[in-house]
Amino acid sequence: MFIGRMCLGISPLVLVSLSFLWAFTRGDTVIDCDIKGSCILPCRFQASDEEVIHWIQEKPASASAHSYYYKKDQLTLQHPRFKGRTSLFLDQLSNGNASLQLNEVEARDEGRYKCYTSTVAGHDQSFVQLNVDAPVLKVNIDRKGNTITCSSEGLYPEPKLTWSTDPPSVSLQNNTTVRLSGQELYNISSFLNLPNNDVNVTCTVQTRKNRRKTTLTRTTTQTSEKDSELSCTLPAPPRTNLVWRFNQNEDILRQDSNEEPVVSDTWGKHFVDLSASGSLVLKDLTSDEEGQYTCEASNSEETLRSDTLLTIEETQESSSDHTGVIIGVVLVVSCCIIIGIIYWCKKRAQTQGNDPVL
């Protein structure tokens, strides 16, 4: 009863202020959206006549995202970067739905949005915090001598990069650089110097939404005859894709999930099989196919890269074949010479037999 008397004694101005304070402190709705995707920023109001709706990006800078009144969209004052990317659910306004759909989301769309609504029944406002993410899709890793390079591109917000080795290394001297691209996305790269290559090296890149890692295993050396089987290290299932390359930039084959491998035209004549363990079986290799063979296999969280330096050893059978060819050529040439001499001798004898007697 005492509390009721107190409330009756509060002026209308104080009640309005308390109502506004409650609306402000009830908290923002948080929406997460991936870059280039579509998002719905929610907003509800008390449905009535003469709707006025304003969506404003308050932070990091004030910008009009979308307006509606007089029964139609009013986009004269809309900020240019929102042009063609916003819309209301016009068929749901009568139900009190003033939500905004934002398409082709950009990194600079991140921020705090205010939804202001007004009708003959009154006005209200609510707030939405939009978080934009460009997750880590791929971590590239490469080795040149004792220097390992790791990079990833098109990330948001600012990512972090870490190195690790197996077996563990006490000190990993690295140099990491983060750059902001023209689309306000982050590119990160790092260089790691190792005293030797007898370790597995892992590079991990992490953003707010996810993280991925790529592991470069120890480089192996293999000497084979014209038929070779090259091994691959696979990540934990389910595997999403596998790629075999020659000398880093020439594709041999690609395989997505559990589909059949797609072999390049150049390597079709050498391809025999791709085993369940990822091993690549090739045939009829020559010295032209000597070099670095790389297997990259990925799942949803990591990529494992295996490098094999292959040397082709000439087989005894090949040597015999070569020797046989050489002997055959020598015999043919010798026979031609002998036949030529015999023919010349016969012609000479005939010439001498026809000479007149003096």
Side-chain angles (χ1 to χ4, degrees):
M1 181 68 71
F2 177 73
I3 295 176
R5 291 196 183 109
M6 285 184 62
C7 291
L8 288 175
I10 297 177
S11 69
L13 179 60
V14 174
L15 287 175
V16 171
S17 299
L18 289 174
S19 176
F20 176 80
L21 181 62
W22 173 82
F24 183 79
T25 58
R26 61 187 171 185
D28 297 357
T29 301
V30 179
I31 299 295
D32 296 325
C33 193
D34 282 351
I35 202 81
K36 296 183 180 179
S38 296
C39 275
I40 296 177
L41 281 58
C43 181
R44 302 292 305 182
F45 68 101
Q46 185 178 350
S48 188
D49 295 330
E50 300 182 15
E51 305 100 331
V52 175
I53 301 171
H54 292 294
W55 273 99
I56 300 170
Q57 184 184 25
E58 287 199 324
K59 295 180 180 180
S62 180
S64 175
H66 199 99
S67 293
Y68 175 93
Y69 48 90
Y70 296 149
K71 299 295 182 181
K72 64 179 182 179
D73 292 323
Q74 305 287 346
L75 305 179
T76 304
L77 299 179
Q78 183 185 48
H79 195 283
R81 65 182 180 81
F82 288 107
K83 184 177 180 181
R85 299 195 297 123
T86 61
S87 62
L88 300 176
F89 299 90
L90 301 181
D91 59 338
Q92 298 183 32
L93 293 181
S94 59
N95 298 325
N97 183 2
S99 300
L100 179 72
Q101 177 160 326
L102 179 61
N103 300 320
E104 292 293 323
V105 172
E106 304 172 355
R108 56 186 177 176
D109 291 335
E110 180 168 278
R112 190 173 192 241
Y113 290 76
K114 177 173 72 173
C115 173
Y116 171 86
T117 58
S118 176
T119 66
V120 294
H123 63 271
D124 196 6
Q125 62 183 7
S126 60
F127 297 88
V128 176
Q129 173 62 41
L130 176 62
N131 295 329
V132 176
D133 290 287
V136 187
L137 300 179
K138 185 175 177 60
V139 176
N140 303 299
I141 194 168
D142 195 16
R143 186 200 310 267
K144 289 185 178 180
N146 291 334
T147 300
I148 313 296
T149 304
C150 177
S151 64
S152 189
E153 299 179 348
L155 310 176
Y156 192 87
E158 185 173 344
K160 295 181 180 179
L161 186 150
T162 55
W163 291 95
S164 62
T165 62
D166 180 26
S169 178
V170 176
S171 178
L172 296 177
Q173 300 295 326
N174 66 88
N175 182 9
T176 301
T177 303
V178 180
R179 292 186 174 89
L180 194 61
S181 70
Q183 296 179 332
E184 299 189 15
L185 301 178
Y186 291 93
N187 299 333
I188 191 167
S189 61
S190 185
F191 301 89
L192 176 67
N193 292 316
L194 290 175
N196 62 74
N197 292 328
D198 193 27
V199 294
N200 297 334
V201 183
T202 299
C203 176
T204 302
V205 179
Q206 181 174 357
T207 62
R208 174 174 55 198
K209 184 171 185 177
N210 78 324
R211 70 173 185 173
R212 282 194 64 88
K213 62 181 180 180
T214 295
T215 299
L216 180 61
T217 62
R218 301 173 180 87
T219 301
T220 59
T221 302
Q222 181 174 328
T223 301
S224 302
E225 298 180 352
K226 62 179 183 178
D227 298 340
S228 299
E229 181 174 354
L230 306 169
S231 61
C232 179
T233 304
L234 299 181
R239 176 165 51 85
T240 55
N241 61 71
L242 182 149
V243 181
W244 271 99
R245 295 188 182 92
F246 177 63
N247 286 340
Q248 300 187 26
N249 56 11
E250 181 180 342
D251 281 4
I252 299 174
L253 66 80
R254 290 179 173 269
Q255 183 185 45
D256 294 330
S257 300
N258 295 320
E259 298 179 1
E260 290 296 317
V262 178
V263 183
S264 70
D265 294 338
T266 304
W267 288 86
K269 61 184 178 181
H270 300 297
F271 177 74
V272 177
D273 185 36
L274 179 69
S275 70
S277 64
S279 295
L280 178 65
V281 182
L282 301 173
K283 66 177 181 179
D284 299 333
L285 299 178
T286 67
S287 58
D288 291 336
E289 284 73 54
E290 289 184 332
Q292 179 176 308
Y293 288 79
T294 299
C295 174
E296 280 190 3
S298 304
N299 61 19
S300 60
E301 296 182 352
E302 67 173 332
T303 298
L304 298 182
R305 172 175 163 174
S306 312
D307 289 339
T308 302
L309 295 178
L310 179 65
T311 302
I312 305 300
E313 187 178 58
E314 189 173 290
T315 63
Q316 192 170 12
E317 179 183 352
S318 299
S319 299
S320 300
D321 291 343
H322 292 161
T323 303
V325 171
I326 293 172
I327 293 174
V329 171
V330 171
L331 288 175
V332 170
V333 172
S334 299
C335 289
C336 291
I337 293 173
I338 293 171
I339 291 171
I341 292 173
I342 294 173
Y343 178 79
W344 180 81
C345 290
K346 285 183 178 181
K347 293 291 288 184
R348 181 174 178 81
Q350 290 175 358
T351 302
Q352 290 177 351
N354 294 330
D355 288 343
V357 178
L358 299 175

